[in-house]
Amino acid sequence: MSYASAGEISRELHKLANLCVENNQIDPQLYDVYQVKKGLREPNGKGVLTGLTEISTVNGMKEKDGKRVPIEGQLFYRGINIKDLVKGFTKDNRFGYEETVYLLLFGKLPTADELEQWNRLVSHARRLPDDFVEDVVLKSPNKDIMNAMARSILALNSYDRNPDDLSVPNVLRQSIKLIANVPLIAAYSYLSYRHYLQKRGLYIHNPKPELSTAENLLRIMRQDKKFTPLEAQLLDIALVLHAEHGGGNNSTFTTHVVTSSGTDTYSSVAASLCSLKGPKHGGANIKAKKMFDELKKEIHDWEDDEEISAYLLKILRKEAFDKSGLIYGIGHAIYTKSDPRARILETYTEKLAEEKDRMDEFRLHKAVARLAPPLMRQERKMFKPVSPNIDFYSGFAYNMLGLPDEFITPLFAIARVAGWSAHRIEELTCTNRIIRPAYMSVAHEMNYLPLEKR
């Protein structure tokens, strides 16, 4: 037997791919016959109940006279309305992400002394093992920063003296370490890609213990290490808003599933991160950013509602952007009338747009937010209200912070490690039973045929 040529391999793979498609067809009607909940969702769109949680509450509908009716979106962290949480720490002019992590992990807001001690603990944990950056991050640059992060998180297992202990004290120690260090891993992964694959300069800044997560991120990502108070505040609020979103979202459900198998913390977080990177989940934020990049090029008058609407209709009719028919950043699986996270982020995005003299772009976002929902309802014959979700403003906000497109989805992951950690501990303490839903086989039995008779 001789080695095949590249052309022969390509043709054979194409043939095998066609065979895969041909022999992986299930009659769509069987899903209705056996009442399969595709996507773990009921026919009315409501998620199938698979667990209980006290960590966060997400509301977009309520029961009224036996019917589910849309309401203004609500998000609660441990029973506290996200609006009140953000208002509380911003009123006191302090950063809120570390306080939010404490709330998610421990189920209560810290006192002033507890918050000071917690900040010291997180700062102490914010250090990677000796030579980790050089030996792990810099030696394997990857244009996919999320994949680079997953590899580095898994590598941390090798540096842990007790990686497989599932006791709460040990898992909490590992979780704090990851919450503190995933921001560093993400930043250094991007800087490695920037240097080795984009052929640009390399700089590696160490975090400063007295700075918050948001401040350290901006300091490390910028060559001059400088940032304004408003820039740090917006990034901090974005981290708070992305930190947690119920147990049913794809990546957090992954946390529960993987944790239930008894695997280690590093594998659990890496698996959840790989789930988050998908364009139907956390990766949607970069899609929204790129959609607006195209809108800015194709629409000549950003103040002309007719021209904006015409282009949005092209997107809906699969004639523009990525031809998917989706207006990214509009609509959500749970929220209907509004996404409370988007409302908060919009406020601070506008403030930064004023500081950066980019109000024309902000007004374009506002116009799309106003025009897209009725166009979607008209074109898709929708009855449920739709509104901007958090992805709608996040890409623009991060761009104003000078953060590259490749870093938009990693920022989501940086924040969400907090929620994943809280759910992992909840799964270990409350359930301790492997998650194993049923799949019904609809295959026909076949007789084995000897090779000479096939």
Side-chain angles (χ1 to χ4, degrees), residues 13 17 25 48 56 63 70 89 93 97 146 174 179 223 239 264 279 313 369 376 387 391 404 428 444:
L13 284 173
Q25 299 294 324
V48 174
S56 68
E63 297 289 338
F89 64 75
N93 196 30
Y97 180 65
M146 293 286 276
Q174 294 169 329
I179 290 165
Q223 189 165 1
L239 293 175
D264 66 280
L313 280 173
M376 290 172 67
S387 59
D391 295 331
L428 289 170
H444 298 289

Side-chain angles (χ1 to χ4, degrees), residues 244 247 249-265 267-273 275 416-417 419-428 435:
E244 162 59 8
N249 68 79
N250 196 276
S251 59
T252 305
F253 187 58
T254 297
T255 297
H256 281 276
V257 172
V258 176
T259 296
S260 77
S261 75
T263 196
D264 66 280
T265 300
S267 295
S268 173
V269 172
S272 298
L273 185 141
S275 167
R416 190 55 65 85
V417 174
W420 296 334
S421 298
H423 279 275
R424 175 167 168 79
I425 292 171
E426 188 177 63
E427 181 68 31
L428 289 170
I435 296 172

Side-chain angles (χ1 to χ4, degrees), residues 325-340:
L326 300 174
I327 297 178
Y328 293 96
I330 300 290
H332 190 270
I334 297 176
Y335 296 127
T336 51
K337 287 188 172 182
S338 64
D339 179 340

Side-chain angles (χ1 to χ4, degrees), residues 95 98 119-120 122-124 126 206-216 219 227:
F95 294 103
E98 289 74 20
N119 285 337
R120 280 202 298 265
V122 173
S123 292
H124 178 77
R126 193 180 284 127
N206 291 322
K208 296 185 74 172
E210 67 271 22
L211 298 183
S212 68
T213 301
E215 290 173 302
N216 269 310
R219 181 179 185 275
F227 51 87

Side-chain angles (χ1 to χ4, degrees), residues 437-448:
Y439 266 68
M440 176 182 288
S441 174
V442 290
H444 298 289
E445 291 189 9
M446 299 170 59
N447 293 323
Y448 176 83

Side-chain angles (χ1 to χ4, degrees), residues 93-382:
N93 196 30
R94 66 176 186 272
F95 294 103
Y97 180 65
E98 289 74 20
E99 182 175 342
T100 299
V101 174
Y102 187 100
L103 172 65
L104 293 173
L105 288 176
F106 307 114
K108 75 179 196 72
L109 289 170
T111 65
D113 287 344
E114 288 170 338
L115 181 57
E116 183 181 354
Q117 181 62 32
W118 173 246
N119 285 337
R120 280 202 298 265
L121 182 62
V122 173
S123 292
H124 178 77
R126 193 180 284 127
R127 59 184 71 182
L128 291 165
D130 291 343
D131 301 323
F132 186 88
V133 175
E134 293 82 354
D135 292 344
V136 177
V137 180
L138 296 182
K139 285 189 176 178
S140 300
N142 192 332
K143 67 178 181 180
D144 190 317
I145 310 305
M146 293 286 276
N147 279 0
M149 291 167 65
R151 184 192 65 244
S152 292
I153 289 168
L154 287 172
L156 283 174
N157 180 285
S158 302
Y159 295 80
D160 193 323
R161 294 180 180 178
N162 200 15
D164 300 316
D165 178 2
L166 297 185
S167 67
V168 171
N170 192 59
V171 171
L172 179 61
R173 173 188 64 82
Q174 294 169 329
S175 297
I176 294 170
K177 192 75 175 171
L178 285 168
I179 290 165
N181 285 301
V182 166
L184 305 185
I185 287 172
Y188 296 150
S189 295
Y190 169 74
L191 294 170
S192 174
Y193 154 74
R194 179 183 183 274
H195 175 64
Y196 290 106
L197 301 183
Q198 290 191 322
K199 307 302 180 185
R200 299 167 68 187
L202 177 66
Y203 52 88
I204 300 292
H205 303 320
N206 291 322
K208 296 185 74 172
E210 67 271 22
L211 298 183
S212 68
T213 301
E215 290 173 302
N216 269 310
L217 262 173
L218 290 175
R219 181 179 185 275
I220 292 171
M221 288 291 289
R222 294 181 174 181
Q223 189 165 1
D224 64 5
K225 309 178 191 176
K226 295 178 181 178
F227 51 87
T228 69
L230 182 56
E231 287 178 323
Q233 183 187 46
L234 185 146
L235 182 55
D236 177 71
I237 286 171
L239 293 175
V240 169
L241 298 176
H242 281 101
E244 162 59 8
H245 207 244
N249 68 79
N250 196 276
S251 59
T252 305
F253 187 58
T254 297
T255 297
H256 281 276
V257 172
V258 176
T259 296
S260 77
S261 75
T263 196
D264 66 280
T265 300
Y266 304 101
S267 295
S268 173
V269 172
S272 298
L273 185 141
C274 291
S275 167
L276 184 74
K277 71 168 285 196
K280 294 181 182 179
H281 189 11
N285 53 18
I286 186 59
K287 280 284 193 177
K289 162 65 168 54
K290 290 182 177 179
M291 180 189 75
F292 269 101
D293 288 343
E294 181 160 310
L295 279 168
K296 291 170 191 175
K297 292 178 183 176
E298 298 296 329
I299 296 174
H300 299 98
D301 184 355
W302 295 358
E303 307 285 341
D304 187 340
D305 282 3
E306 287 189 12
E307 187 181 2
I308 295 170
S309 295
Y311 196 76
L312 292 176
L313 280 173
K314 284 185 178 181
I315 293 177
L316 288 170
R317 293 168 181 170
K318 302 182 179 182
E319 298 169 359
F321 188 47
D322 64 357
K323 309 295 196 302
S324 68
L326 300 174
I327 297 178
Y328 293 96
I330 300 290
H332 190 270
I334 297 176
Y335 296 127
T336 51
K337 287 188 172 182
S338 64
D339 179 340
R341 304 167 302 169
R343 289 268 180 93
I344 295 169
L345 191 60
E346 176 190 345
T347 299
Y348 289 90
T349 300
E350 182 176 13
K351 290 181 181 180
L352 190 60
E354 289 176 352
E355 180 176 281
K356 300 284 187 181
D357 194 25
R358 294 176 65 175
M359 283 299 294
D360 55 344
E361 293 172 78
F362 179 77
R363 286 191 291 270
L364 176 61
H365 278 74
K366 289 286 288 181
V368 173
R370 173 170 46 84
L371 298 169
L375 290 174
M376 290 172 67
R377 290 196 297 270
Q378 165 195 317
E379 199 70 11
R380 300 280 172 78
K381 305 296 187 288
M382 296 169 58

Side-chain angles (χ1 to χ4, degrees), residues 72-91:
E72 299 293 341
Q74 299 173 325
L75 174 60
F76 299 86
Y77 286 175
R78 294 286 190 172
I80 297 175
N81 194 306
I82 191 70
K83 296 177 184 177
D84 296 331
L85 181 65
V86 171
K87 187 183 297 183
F89 64 75
T90 54
K91 182 181 177 182

